[in-house]
Amino acid sequence: RIYGTYGMDIGPSPQFLMERKVHTQISRRQIIKTKLKKSCSFTTERLKNMVMDFFPVLRWLPKYHCREYIWGDVMSGVVIGIILVPQAIAYSLLAGLKPIYSLYTSFFANLIYFLLGTSRHVSVGIFSLLSLMVGQVVDRDTECGKECYVLMGVFRLGFVSMYLSESVLDGFATGASLTILTAQVKYLIGIKIPRSQGHGIVLTTWINIFQNISQANLCDVITSAICIAVLVAAKELGERYKHKLKIPLPTELVVIVVATMVSHYGNLNEVYASSVSGAIPTGFIPPQLPNFNLMYRVAADAVPLAIVGFAFTISLSEMFAKKYAYTVRANQEMFAIGFCNIIPSFFHCFATSAALAKTLVKSSTGCQTQVSSVVSAAVVLLVLLFLAPLFYSLQKCVLACIIIVSLRGALEKFRDVPQRYHLNKMDTLVWCVTALSSALISTEMGLLVGVVFSMLCIIVRTQQPRTALLGQIQSTAFYEDNWEYEGLSPVPRTKIFRFEAPLYYANKDFFLKSLYRMTGLDPTLEAARRKKNEKKEKERWKEGDRGTTVKGLDQADTTLHLVPKEVDFQTIIIDCSSITFLDTAGITTLKEILKDYNKLKITVLLACCNPSVIDSLKRGGYFGKNYKMMHQLLFYSIHSAVQFAKDNMLLADAPPSPGL
């Protein structure tokens, strides 16, 4: 039961009583039994639903509106396929693998997501961050065969992605982008330096670059400058006239075709020793069973890969589902990305996930369904079967330019730091810590640091939350913060205290200090002071020194006389509307407050408690045996508690009836 009042005026209001519903408790054994019975009953309809849920394509493909959707799907599929080919070859530099493996990954990932995915617009395939993380693992364990690291996709721990805030993900992407940029500089200028490993690879790589800068290949430097200028200019023009262009400019493909022809006919590799991609075989390598003995060696590296892959995929899926008014299933997305990694592991592919840039292009080119993924896979297949050898003379510096220009969006987030700081200082700090740790320590460690630091920030916020004393909005039943609002009326002989956080072991001391500071009274110190004064009074009574006492007062009156003048209240109301839960320490704290203030004849009332907090107080014995004191300690609103306090004060101040 919770007692309250109704009305908007500050005068007496009618009382009402809130009754809690009685919920029938079902035994855990019965719940488990029911679930087992339901899951073990295989009817034809249930089996059909299970298959269609696992393969969402069976639900939406029969309803496919060919005339309405086919043109947009084909157009976006062709564009994404054209973009995929140069990116696949370029990102092979990041992963430390041969270009053919990137093409395999793009092909299989698109087909599998078509069957299992629930998002219509997400483009799944190679992703720069994952390619970089795969490359770092490849460098540490080259002796076991690079293609074996596809086993990292087996460990799908996507549930951990709920702890990745937007600030952590953005900071991680920006920090990793700095690492990717650093890794490509050696290809830009054509120097040969060992690939750095372990922590601090950004600093180590730059030191090696400056130590070997004299060995820079002039041909690669000139080629890189031209390619970056063309790519950046094309990106700027594309963004400026994107409303007039029906499809994005295939700049990367044009640059690769032109650069390959120049390199081939100019014999840049033979004449100027420019590094080229080399032979890219056609066709498919026979499937091979992964070496499962490697699992224990790559398990630790698989965790951050799985978290990042799933986090980016579900974030993009939900973003575009909201934009185009349809729904996605997070669990199914985890299955889809998991199988996009597991099944291709038998076909010499590596870790994959959704990619933001290609997803944006897919959306802007009229994509309607995942049929576009099949079209993209067909384009990649064409390259795999026939066109791959044509890229033999393509310079690696051209691929590095494509990677660096594609990072522009992530690197431009540095310009948003002032705006982030203006919106939320704590989130900006999380972003900076994650970005710097990802760049200066390592990508995996940066993600871990970002998550831990983000959690610590949440703990700090709850350890020292905002507190306030409330005043009454004139002629209403509402109360607000005295510090924030003008013209609030103080409630006579009543302090209303608000604590804006859950009350638990980590902030109980802060709760007490804030309450004592704002009310101006520490009940423990006050009780000790009164006890000391009473002791002195007793000693004076024994000595016959009555000069410091009031004539005619007995011992009880003397105690009341000793109450300090600054204690000008008789009631404390705690606004619990922001207290989401209580632990054992929180319950004990409230019980101690109630006991300590009651010793000083000060009433403590609770208002606006949610049902879980009330249940915690009941279990903790706050309301006494059989909850007899509940109607005197707990109120539905602050105003009802204020009215109760006023009524009690009127009764206490009323003169005794004649004859008593």
Side-chain angles (χ1 to χ4, degrees), residues 596-625:
D596 292 342
Y597 278 111
N598 282 348
K599 287 180 180 179
L600 304 179
K601 308 300 182 185
I602 296 175
T603 304
V604 178
L605 307 177
L606 304 181
C608 307
C609 295
N610 65 52
S612 65
V613 169
I614 296 172
D615 291 339
S616 297
L617 292 171
K618 284 181 177 179
R619 290 191 296 269
Y622 184 84
F623 304 114
K625 293 182 179 179

Side-chain angles (χ1 to χ4, degrees), residues 167-187:
S167 299
V168 171
L169 285 175
D170 282 349
F172 172 73
T174 304
S177 297
L178 290 174
T179 307
I180 294 171
L181 172 64
T182 300
Q184 299 309 301
V185 172
K186 66 179 181 181
Y187 298 110

